[in-house]
Amino acid sequence: MDFIQKGTKTFRKANWALFLAGFITFANLYITQPLLPTFAKEFHVSPAVASLSLSVTTFALSISMIIVGSLSEAWGRKSLMTMSIFAASILTLALAFSPNFETILVLRVLQGVVFAGLPAIAMAYLGEEIDPSSLGIAMGLYISGNSVGGLSGRVIIGTLTDHYNWQVGMLVLGVISLIISVLFVWMLPNSKHFTARPLQIKALTKSLLQHLKDPSMLCLFGISFVLMGSFVTLYNYIGFKLMAPPYNLSATIVGWIFVIYLVGTFSSAWFGSLADQYGRQKMLLLSIAIMFTGAILTINGLLSLKIIGITTFTFGFFAAHSIASGWVSKRATHDKAQASSLYLFFYYFGSSVGGTVGGIFWMHYGWVGVVAMIAIFLIIACLLSFLLKGIIGKQSVATGHLL
């Protein structure tokens, strides 16, 4: 089989294409997060209402990924990813001309829908086209694009808003996204191992249920849920801690904590490669242990140790996410995009649940309570990892799947 192998020109082009596509997807996804105070002031809405400019997008994204992942089984991988990033870029440009907040919300819901055309399908594309021995590093490079994009979108829009206004920021990011979209179409190789089939709702529903009945996939979905739930909880509430005495840091300085995301660019690619060499389960457990260590370090009162803890935690999270997401593509025997969609559905659902439950722990028990909740989530991730190993061990004789 003519799979794309590491070290080839085709491998480099494919990975650059998906890195850039992930970059603009997540840059645009989080584009309104730094603008919440601006929206509240300019449109005379409460902070809670202003936050809808982000929450409606992630909600639409989580639901749409399941549908779009299924559609790609009939319509093709590259074509849907192309439509997704072009539509998202155009909608960002349209946001710059929004006359009111209601229009922004409508456009952001539409963006949530079209964003779904990239994440799950990109994972399926890699699982189908990349040589299995190179899949870990390829998945890691793609996820590193996500982390760089999530950081850059916040920095670009925040900086341009400070110097000009948020409309200029939207226009600049929209133009950059359109340019990258053109590069994506040119660089990404066409699918060679994808076979389109007629869109059959009944069959797709059946395959969806099959994924949900697979014990190994359920373990991976559960790991996705608790990993992202713990990650978003830490970043949601560390700002409250650092802006309070004795630190009294400004909101601007706290916002720059997202620069720590850059360690995820390195860890996702590195641990993806290590998983190919030493086994996914071992590297996943190591990643979770790194997250746990980082969370514990944030309890210390020294600001420097808190920052080190956040950095360590972030390093471990992106490593674990890279391994788990690549494992889904490896384990799925059919409808890979649909399996990836389910993984990401639980991923973003975990973000919503973790962020909310973490707030309860914060209000009642402070930062120690937040870390305790994160520890519980990470222990669950470890237990699911051991359970997954046992399930695969029993299935390997019959199916030939390897850890």
Side-chain angles (χ1 to χ4, degrees):
M1 298 294 286
D2 188 21
F3 289 105
I4 301 173
Q5 296 185 338
K6 182 172 60 176
T8 64
K9 181 179 179 181
T10 303
F11 182 85
R12 289 191 293 272
K13 288 182 69 175
N15 277 280
W16 266 112
L18 290 172
F19 176 93
L20 292 172
F23 175 94
I24 61 172
T25 296
F26 285 85
N28 286 284
L29 174 61
Y30 293 106
I31 195 173
T32 61
Q33 192 172 49
L35 300 177
L36 300 185
T38 302
F39 285 167
K41 181 179 179 180
E42 183 168 331
F43 296 110
H44 307 290
V45 297
S46 68
V49 173
S51 71
L52 290 174
S53 62
L54 179 59
S55 60
V56 297
T57 311
T58 54
F59 178 76
L61 171 62
S62 65
I63 300 298
S64 300
M65 276 191 298
I66 297 177
I67 301 171
V68 174
S70 298
L71 289 176
S72 76
E73 304 292 351
W75 296 353
R77 311 300 194 205
K78 184 175 179 178
S79 58
L80 266 178
M81 287 191 286
T82 299
M83 287 188 286
S84 171
I85 59 176
F86 270 101
S89 303
I90 293 170
L91 286 168
T92 295
L93 290 173
L95 281 166
F97 301 97
S98 299
N100 51 53
F101 190 69
E102 289 77 11
T103 303
I104 289 175
L105 292 183
V106 171
L107 292 174
R108 289 292 286 168
V109 169
L110 292 175
Q111 275 195 315
V113 173
V114 300
F115 281 145
L118 183 84
I121 300 174
M123 291 166 65
Y125 175 93
L126 289 170
E128 291 169 347
E129 304 300 326
I130 302 297
D131 185 89
S133 64
S134 305
L135 180 59
I137 188 170
M139 192 67 72
L141 289 169
Y142 162 66
I143 290 175
S144 70
N146 298 350
S147 64
V148 174
L151 163 64
S152 301
R154 294 177 175 96
V155 173
I156 291 171
I157 195 70
T159 302
L160 290 174
T161 299
D162 282 340
H163 287 82
Y164 302 100
N165 54 54
W166 65 270
Q167 289 93 340
V168 171
M170 295 283 189
L171 285 172
V172 171
L173 190 57
V175 170
I176 292 173
S177 299
L178 280 176
I179 294 171
I180 290 177
S181 297
V182 174
L183 289 174
F184 170 83
V185 176
W186 173 66
M187 294 177 70
L188 187 71
N190 292 322
S191 297
K192 291 184 177 181
H193 304 284
F194 168 77
T195 302
R197 57 188 181 182
L199 183 61
Q200 299 176 333
I201 302 300
K202 184 177 180 180
L204 289 172
T205 302
K206 181 179 178 181
S207 67
L208 186 74
L209 293 175
Q210 287 176 339
H211 286 311
L212 292 173
K213 290 179 181 178
D214 184 336
S216 64
M217 297 298 280
L218 285 176
C219 287
L220 288 167
F221 297 155
I223 289 170
S224 169
F225 179 93
V226 293
L227 286 179
M228 186 55 171
S230 62
F231 181 71
V232 76
T233 296
L234 184 137
Y235 272 95
N236 272 3
Y237 301 102
I238 192 64
F240 290 95
K241 181 67 176 177
L242 296 180
M243 292 174 71
Y247 311 106
N248 296 313
L249 299 183
S250 68
T252 300
I253 294 176
V254 170
W256 274 94
I257 287 177
F258 286 104
V259 172
I260 292 173
Y261 270 42
L262 289 175
V263 301
T265 305
F266 170 72
S267 67
S268 58
W270 185 35
F271 269 71
S273 178
L274 291 176
D276 290 334
Q277 298 178 52
Y278 301 108
R280 292 175 175 82
Q281 202 249 358
K282 289 180 181 178
M283 292 300 102
L284 179 59
L285 285 174
L286 177 59
S287 302
I288 295 170
I290 292 172
M291 290 178 69
F292 190 89
T293 301
I296 296 300
L297 283 175
T298 64
I299 297 176
N300 192 282
L302 287 176
L303 180 59
S304 57
L305 277 180
K306 272 187 166 33
I307 300 301
I308 291 172
I310 297 168
T311 305
T312 303
F313 183 88
T314 304
F315 180 97
F317 167 75
F318 280 104
H321 175 41
S322 171
I323 295 167
S325 57
W327 212 341
V328 169
S329 293
K330 179 74 172 179
R331 291 296 303 169
T333 57
H334 62 90
D335 300 307
K336 290 181 180 291
Q338 197 177 58
S340 299
S341 297
L342 283 169
Y343 173 88
L344 292 171
F345 170 80
F346 282 95
Y347 180 85
Y348 287 107
F349 187 53
S351 171
S352 300
V353 173
T356 302
V357 175
I360 297 173
F361 277 80
W362 166 254
M363 288 186 296
H364 288 87
Y365 308 107
W367 186 248
V368 173
V370 171
V371 173
M373 194 215 83
I374 291 172
I376 292 170
F377 272 36
L378 295 181
I379 290 171
I380 293 173
C382 288
L383 294 175
L384 288 171
S385 178
F386 284 116
L387 180 60
L388 176 61
K389 181 181 180 181
I391 292 170
I392 294 178
K394 292 178 182 179
Q395 294 177 345
S396 60
V397 175
T399 65
H401 281 301
L402 299 175
L403 280 175

